[in-house]
Amino acid sequence: MSGEPVLLVIAHGSRDPRHAATVHALVRRVRAQRPGVRVETGFLDFNVPSVQGVLESLAAQGVRDVVAQPLLLTRAFHAKADIPAVLRDAPRRLRIRQAQVLGPSPLLLAALERRLSEAGLAPADKSSTGVVLASAGSTDPEAIAVIADIAREWRHTGWCAVRPAFASASLPRTEDAVRELRALGCARVAVAPYVLAPGFLPDRIARGAAKADVLAEVLGPAPEVARLLLDRYDEARLPVRAALGA
């Protein structure tokens, strides 16, 4: 058994089968990038295995150290409340560190750029293209502020304009941001979903992008996302290694 902590990827879960399929595709990419690390997947709701079930199984197998990685882009309710609550109920023999959420990160901006390029945008299109950074939305002001900050940062990489939008809980909606970018005079408008997997809210983003020129795919198993997940794992595991005298 590897001396490295097990990486437990914690996903929200969804009734939409595309969600779990995308999560598993991302985890396969993570395993391929770091074959020496055991990577497991657990879901908070709707899908199996559950986070609690995976933790109990790991403990029964004699695993001691786990890095729990929230598959989340912002630090909102799930990262602050749901996941810590589940981890507190884990078997006592497990030493668990909760890694930071994935965002914000330059790697996520690189993944967004990848998805827009795959949707047909060329580098020469940037200066005349307005982009809607469309996230799921949150009631947490910290999470909303992070999305707004990312949009401002991304604008400085050469886009005509970048506007945040939200599929729930907050405004503006994707269709409103599309209209705003048209009014600003952007020659084309692209919608970049800042979400990890398909589902109900990403579908709402897609409907809101009906009058945009380009709709990118969700981030999904982009190589940049897999690399970022491992970066967060490394950040979290270092104190574990120090505690073990490594």
Side-chain angles (χ1 to χ4, degrees):
M1 183 180 297
S2 169
E4 300 290 355
V6 171
L7 170 55
L8 172 58
V9 177
I10 301 179
H12 182 274
S14 171
R15 293 186 178 91
D16 188 324
R18 297 173 298 167
H19 175 92
T22 301
V23 170
H24 290 311
L26 173 59
V27 169
R28 285 194 296 273
R29 175 154 267 167
V30 171
R31 289 183 179 127
Q33 289 191 13
R34 191 77 63 87
V37 172
R38 179 176 175 180
V39 187
E40 300 291 342
T41 308
F43 296 90
L44 291 172
D45 206 354
F46 301 116
N47 301 105
V48 292
S50 68
V51 176
Q52 187 65 27
V54 174
L55 292 171
E56 291 173 357
S57 176
L58 291 174
Q61 295 168 40
V63 170
R64 292 295 305 276
D65 293 296
V66 176
V67 170
Q69 173 62 63
L71 200 58
L72 301 169
L73 296 175
T74 58
R75 189 173 176 273
F77 182 79
H78 293 304
K80 294 177 179 179
D82 283 354
I83 292 175
V86 172
L87 298 181
R88 281 194 297 269
D89 289 337
R92 289 185 175 273
R93 67 168 287 115
L94 294 176
R95 293 180 292 201
I96 304 174
R97 296 190 66 86
Q98 181 176 330
Q100 295 297 315
V101 297
L102 297 178
S105 168
L107 284 170
L108 290 174
L109 289 180
L112 288 165
E113 298 263 1
R114 171 188 293 274
R115 293 299 188 230
L116 287 170
S117 175
E118 291 168 350
L121 285 179
D125 298 326
K126 290 189 74 168
S127 62
S128 59
T129 301
V131 179
V132 178
L133 179 68
S135 76
S138 174
T139 57
D140 189 310
E142 178 186 347
I144 297 304
V146 166
I147 300 300
D149 288 344
I150 293 170
R152 282 191 291 270
E153 177 184 349
W154 202 15
R155 163 69 180 84
H156 296 308
T157 65
W159 297 103
C160 173
V162 179
R163 293 291 185 271
F166 307 94
S168 68
S170 306
L171 295 173
R173 295 287 185 257
T174 301
E175 53 268 34
D176 300 326
V178 169
R179 283 193 293 268
E180 181 182 351
L181 291 171
R182 294 277 189 219
L184 283 174
C186 298
R188 66 182 61 78
V189 175
V191 173
Y194 190 64
V195 293
L196 286 165
F200 177 76
L201 293 178
D203 284 349
R204 181 179 288 177
I205 290 171
R207 290 193 298 272
K211 294 187 178 179
D213 301 292
V214 174
L215 171 62
E217 293 292 329
V218 299
L219 296 172
E224 295 86 357
V225 178
R227 178 182 162 193
L228 176 57
L229 203 152
L230 286 167
D231 285 350
R232 295 288 188 253
Y233 166 79
D234 288 336
E235 293 164 3
R237 77 186 173 95
L238 290 177
V240 174
R241 290 175 62 86
L244 294 175

